[in-house]
Amino acid sequence: MAPRGFPYEDLQSFLDALEAAGELRRVTVPADPTLEISEVVTRTVRAGGPALLFERPTRGDMPVAINLFGTEKRMAMALGVDSLDEVGERIGSLIRPELPVGWSGIREGIGKALQLKSLPPKKVKTAPCQEVVLKGDEVDLGLLPGLQVWPGDGGIFHNFGLTHTKDPETGKRNLGLYRLQQHSKNTLGMHWQIHKDSTAHHAIAERRGERLPVAVAIGCDPVVSYAASAPLPSDIDEYLFAGFLRGERVEMVDCLTVPLQVPAHAQIVLEGYLEPGERHPEGPFGDHTGFYTPVEPFPVLHIETMTMRKKPVYHSIITSKPPQEDHGLGKATERIFLPLLKMLIPDIVDYDMPAAGVFHNCVIVSIRKRYPKHAQKIMNAIWGAHLMSLTKLIVIVDEDCDVHDYNEVAFRAFGNVDYDRDLLVTQGPVDHLDHASYQQFWGGKAGLDATRKLPGEGYDRGWPDEMVMSPEVVALVDKRWKEYGI
């Protein structure tokens, strides 16, 4: 059953729902956006604590909402479900069995699901996000309580800015989530990574010698905020996906000074452009890997117009080594995209992306093993599946292993593997932020076959049976348990 108030019209509606459910705490004393808020939030996340609303940040002119997605319960509330698996099940029920297997099937499957069960964005003429308009010299990013999260960060960052661009040639829109370093009162560093769609849009604009218009929306409703992080194929519109998740059209409004649309109920919108060829040092930044990413040259967003609500709430997120708030976002993606991954690789039963692996370093996969070297086939298929290609370690287990039970997975991985035969080592692309690869963007990968081995794989000893108590004895002990006085 969807929580009360879903779909949420805006961030304030979601905060109200969280507070009513006992999932939000207001911090009424002053707190510094430079480091102090970060330490408070990190302790709260690691204690399994609530979302926080800092009502009196010592810098900026508005409250800070944070840790909104820090648990699976709040992430489910954000998407209007009791369990994150429900969204994946909805998608799976709409995907037709006659669709082709493979990446083209995934694109077609998502497209058909969205056509059946969602509505396109709805354009409106006026919007709350444009109640206050600042142009030219009036633009001042100092109005926003942007965070410095770690002592070695290169300055203030805005960590939940939903970035809108268009392909200069096709007009196809992209919505992405990138960190934004505040360089001055009206410029931001755009840290979009090499694998991201907006990077491709910027490359096309530079090749044509054109400015790239950009709009950044901060503080959107939680479904739109999640959709910006989802690893969708480039030809699937994030706002169509958001409409599917909401069950209701997303209201959009034309920007005032750039040819883009933004969510009408956002809190703050920054409108501007990137000059072709312009780069500025960006970083360092303490990222979700748990390490600082180094200074690199990235494009600069020149902000011409800043619009906002009369009483906006600033939304941000903390990045650190796990556990951290992005756990909820990562788990949502894992569960939502399971049926699509199974469309691509039908032999997959389930998968888990451990938070400790920051959701791309490791994936655990259970399969219905049917023939020799089946596990190795699955490994290579995963390395060829869109952003799953960035996975560094794949552990394959049999279908009777619960991939979410890390003790059981470890038992299989430690005991079922002959590392001379069952370890596949290869090379391929890695995440832009990966610090372990000896060169940027590519490095070594490993696949571990922790399944039962077959004679056709050269295992001629006869795989032993695992010890399991007889059902009769289990039932007997269940019945007599209280008698034992334990």
Side-chain angles (χ1 to χ4, degrees):
M1 180 183 296
R4 183 178 179 182
F6 186 85
Y8 311 105
E9 182 178 63
D10 53 21
L11 177 59
Q12 281 89 343
S13 299
F14 183 47
L15 296 177
D16 289 344
L18 291 176
E19 191 164 33
E23 288 288 333
L24 175 74
R25 294 292 183 275
R26 296 173 181 266
V27 180
T28 59
V29 297
D32 193 344
T34 299
L35 303 182
E36 183 181 6
I37 286 179
S38 172
E39 178 65 13
V40 174
V41 173
T42 298
R43 293 188 190 193
T44 303
V45 169
R46 292 177 182 173
L52 300 174
L53 184 66
F54 289 89
E55 296 184 328
R56 298 170 62 192
T58 58
R59 176 166 41 75
D61 289 352
M62 59 197 72
V64 177
I66 201 161
N67 195 27
L68 304 187
F69 309 124
T71 64
E72 291 183 42
K73 177 182 178 180
R74 287 201 295 280
M75 192 68 238
M77 285 185 65
L79 299 180
V81 293
D82 292 324
S83 165
L84 294 175
D85 285 302
E86 291 179 34
V87 183
E89 290 166 2
R90 282 174 56 201
I91 293 175
S93 69
L94 296 172
I95 295 175
R96 299 179 181 180
E98 68 269 18
L99 291 174
V101 172
W103 187 239
S104 62
I106 281 187
R107 290 199 307 269
E108 190 173 344
I110 297 177
K112 286 185 178 296
L114 298 187
Q115 289 169 17
L116 286 169
K117 289 290 182 179
S118 70
L119 295 168
K122 174 184 178 181
K123 182 180 176 181
V124 296
K125 293 183 178 180
T126 60
C129 70
Q130 295 175 345
E131 290 173 342
V132 177
V133 178
L134 305 173
K135 292 186 176 183
D137 291 339
E138 296 177 318
V139 171
D140 184 5
L141 293 172
L143 297 173
L144 310 181
L147 305 182
Q148 181 179 344
V149 175
W150 296 103
D153 284 355
I156 294 170
F157 287 82
H158 304 279
N159 295 334
F160 224 110
L162 278 56
T163 302
H164 301 71
T165 60
K166 279 186 180 180
D167 186 313
E169 294 179 338
T170 67
K172 174 70 178 65
R173 171 174 53 207
N174 181 68
L175 172 64
L177 181 60
Y178 316 110
R179 76 179 191 230
L180 308 165
Q181 182 174 1
Q182 188 168 312
H183 291 322
S184 71
K185 63 174 290 190
N186 62 353
T187 58
L188 292 170
M190 304 294 296
H191 188 274
W192 44 38
Q193 300 161 24
I194 191 172
H195 306 106
K196 304 298 186 180
D197 293 328
S198 288
T199 307
H201 293 178
H202 186 220
I204 293 170
E206 288 197 312
R207 189 176 68 241
R208 293 158 59 107
E210 300 173 354
R211 289 177 168 179
L212 181 71
V214 177
V216 177
I218 298 173
C220 297
D221 81 73
V223 172
V224 169
S225 293
Y226 168 71
S229 75
L232 294 169
S234 60
D235 53 354
I236 299 295
D237 182 65
E238 287 83 4
Y239 282 105
L240 199 61
F241 183 56
F244 168 79
L245 296 176
R246 287 167 52 89
E248 185 176 282
R249 299 168 75 176
V250 179
E251 292 189 346
M252 308 284 287
V253 68
D254 286 339
C255 290
L256 301 181
T257 53
V258 293
L260 296 165
Q261 291 184 339
V262 291
H265 295 278
Q267 306 294 305
I268 304 129
V269 176
L270 310 175
E271 304 178 12
Y273 61 88
L274 307 181
E275 286 282 6
E278 183 181 15
R279 301 290 189 277
H280 193 281
E282 193 269 359
F285 179 75
D287 222 307
H288 68 280
T289 59
F291 296 88
Y292 289 103
T293 51
V295 175
E296 293 183 84
F298 276 94
V300 178
L301 174 61
H302 296 266
I303 301 167
E304 294 185 306
T305 302
M306 182 175 182
T307 71
M308 64 183 74
R309 290 169 171 247
K310 290 180 180 178
K311 293 183 178 180
V313 175
Y314 179 83
H315 179 207
S316 192
I317 190 171
I318 298 298
T319 53
S320 77
K321 68 180 181 181
Q324 195 48 269
E325 180 185 348
D326 57 2
H327 170 82
L329 295 167
K331 277 297 170 185
T333 291
E334 175 194 287
R335 297 294 88 199
I336 290 171
F337 285 84
L338 174 60
L340 300 170
L341 187 62
K342 291 171 75 170
M343 170 184 281
L344 180 64
I345 312 169
D347 295 326
I348 287 179
V349 174
D350 199 358
Y351 78 126
D352 183 279
M353 298 186 293
V358 295
F359 296 102
H360 58 73
N361 283 338
C362 176
V363 61
I364 303 163
V365 181
S366 58
I367 66 168
R368 295 184 182 91
K369 185 172 179 178
R370 295 185 290 112
Y371 47 80
K373 298 300 179 182
H374 194 170
Q376 285 76 1
K377 174 196 171 185
I378 301 299
M379 295 171 195
N380 286 295
I382 290 172
W383 281 321
H386 195 37
L387 290 180
M388 295 290 286
S389 65
L390 304 180
T391 305
K392 295 205 295 182
L393 174 64
I394 301 174
V395 180
I396 307 291
V397 295
D398 288 299
E399 63 179 309
D400 63 347
C401 178
D402 180 358
V403 294
H404 310 295
D405 182 343
Y406 297 154
N407 285 331
E408 179 65 18
V409 171
F411 174 74
R412 308 285 181 113
F414 298 161
N416 283 7
V417 176
D418 179 335
Y419 289 90
D420 185 45
R421 291 174 176 260
D422 301 333
L423 178 65
L424 175 64
V425 178
T426 185
Q427 293 179 336
V430 297
D431 189 78
H432 189 129
L433 303 177
D434 188 271
H435 63 280
S437 58
Y438 280 59
Q439 55 288 306
Q440 199 172 29
F441 306 131
W442 66 276
K445 297 165 176 283
L448 199 62
D449 178 4
T451 63
R452 299 175 180 87
K453 304 308 180 297
L454 305 173
E457 293 173 303
Y459 188 89
D460 299 324
R461 300 171 58 196
W463 196 263
D465 292 330
E466 187 175 340
M467 297 173 296
V468 179
M469 182 54 69
S470 62
E472 295 82 7
V473 173
V474 172
L476 172 66
V477 172
D478 284 344
K479 182 178 180 180
R480 298 193 59 197
W481 186 253
K482 290 184 179 179
E483 296 179 39
Y484 304 135
I486 299 174

